Amino acid sequence: MYRPMHHGYIEAIAGPMYSGKSEELIRRLKRAQIAKQKVLIFKPAIDDRYCGENIVSHNGSKLKAIRIHHSREMMEYIEKDTQVVGIDEVQFFDDGIIEVCKNLADGGIRVIVAGLDMDFRGEPFGPTPMLLTMAEFVDKLSAICMVCGEPAHRTQRLINGQPAKYTDPVILVGATESYEARCRLHHQVPK
Ligand code: ADP
């Protein structure tokens, strides 16, 4: 997407799992790289999906990224000539990421963040909602509901194949956990 602007700004890509957030982030960053812009890509160290040093989409496209544990580490990598910063799985970062993104954009950098806007309960997820508010450009993507095929804006958490309860802990030892995209009607969070 060409943005004819002569200053920094924030682009936010949000939606449920499988909505193509990483795919879209990778697409935008690869185009910036082709244009020989100085691009830096970050992901939270907590995101071990497909492991290693890449951001990876569910359809297999990938791009090298720097894994960091805390938002404050990001500034150590920013150079004078950095033009574009991409951040995947931004919902897993601490709230400090909001100030970091603001400072980068104020400093003239194009900042592209991608992340879940809601958790499995359908509630705002980490710093993403605030970043959506601050961003100049917002794309809210949808997946396909695995029950009815309508657009899905939510992430269904399943434990041993059944909808996870509101109060179920994040880590469940010995249980098989999975996620799928669902629409509002078919998204279930038993109390
Ligand atoms: P996100 O980063 O939002 O989780 P990805 O970019 O990693 O999404 O993956 C998007 C890809 O996931 C799609 O291109 C498609 O191949 C795959 N996919 C799997 N399940 C679904 C679904 N229910 N709806 C849409 N895409 C799906």
Side-chain angles (χ1 to χ4, degrees):
M1 210 171 316
Y2 178 62
R3 316 279 198 203
M5 296 172 83
H6 302 288
H7 52 76
Y9 50 90
I10 300 173
E11 295 169 31
I13 306 165
M17 276 180 78
Y18 303 109
S19 62
K21 300 181 300 297
S22 300
E23 224 170 84
E24 178 58 20
L25 177 66
I26 291 167
R27 189 185 74 86
R28 292 185 197 182
L29 294 172
K30 277 192 173 162
R31 289 165 70 89
Q33 286 176 335
I34 289 165
K36 303 217 177 326
Q37 295 180 340
K38 298 280 180 193
V39 178
L40 280 177
I41 307 161
F42 297 95
K43 66 178 218 172
I46 187 179
D47 174 27
D48 279 336
R49 185 167 66 156
Y50 313 113
C51 283
E53 305 297 310
N54 295 311
I55 54 171
V56 183
S57 77
H58 289 101
N59 73 351
S61 55
K62 58 184 174 186
L63 212 49
K64 266 221 161 337
I66 303 161
R67 297 172 83 222
I68 55 172
H69 292 86
H70 197 278
S71 61
R72 65 175 164 261
E73 293 167 44
M74 258 175 75
M75 295 312 286
E76 293 164 22
Y77 294 93
I78 306 295
E79 310 226 15
K80 262 205 158 65
D81 59 354
T82 303
Q83 292 166 289
V84 181
V85 169
I87 309 167
D88 201 13
E89 303 287 359
V90 75
Q91 77 277 357
F92 289 134
F93 277 104
D94 56 284
D95 281 349
I97 198 81
I98 297 163
E99 189 70 12
V100 170
C101 290
K102 177 187 176 298
N103 289 340
L104 292 176
D106 287 349
I109 290 176
R110 175 185 178 195
V111 183
I112 316 173
V113 299
L116 292 164
D117 47 357
M118 285 181 268
D119 61 17
F120 78 92
R121 300 182 179 100
E123 294 180 341
F125 205 153
T128 313
M130 185 64 104
L131 288 164
L132 290 173
T133 310
M134 288 168 43
E136 275 87 348
F137 305 99
V138 173
D139 287 288
K140 188 152 167 158
L141 307 182
S142 59
I144 293 167
C145 176
M146 294 303 281
V147 177
C148 69
E150 293 275 314
H153 289 94
R154 290 164 185 246
T155 305
Q156 178 70 51
R157 183 183 186 206
L158 298 166
I159 295 168
N160 297 329
Q162 296 303 312
K165 292 197 190 71
Y166 187 91
T167 49
D168 275 334
V170 175
I171 310 273
L172 272 162
V173 181
T176 315
E177 193 188 26
S178 59
Y179 292 89
E180 64 183 36
R182 297 249 183 125
C183 68
R184 182 187 287 273
L185 182 65
H186 292 115
H187 182 248
Q188 288 178 276
V189 192
K191 293 274 173 188

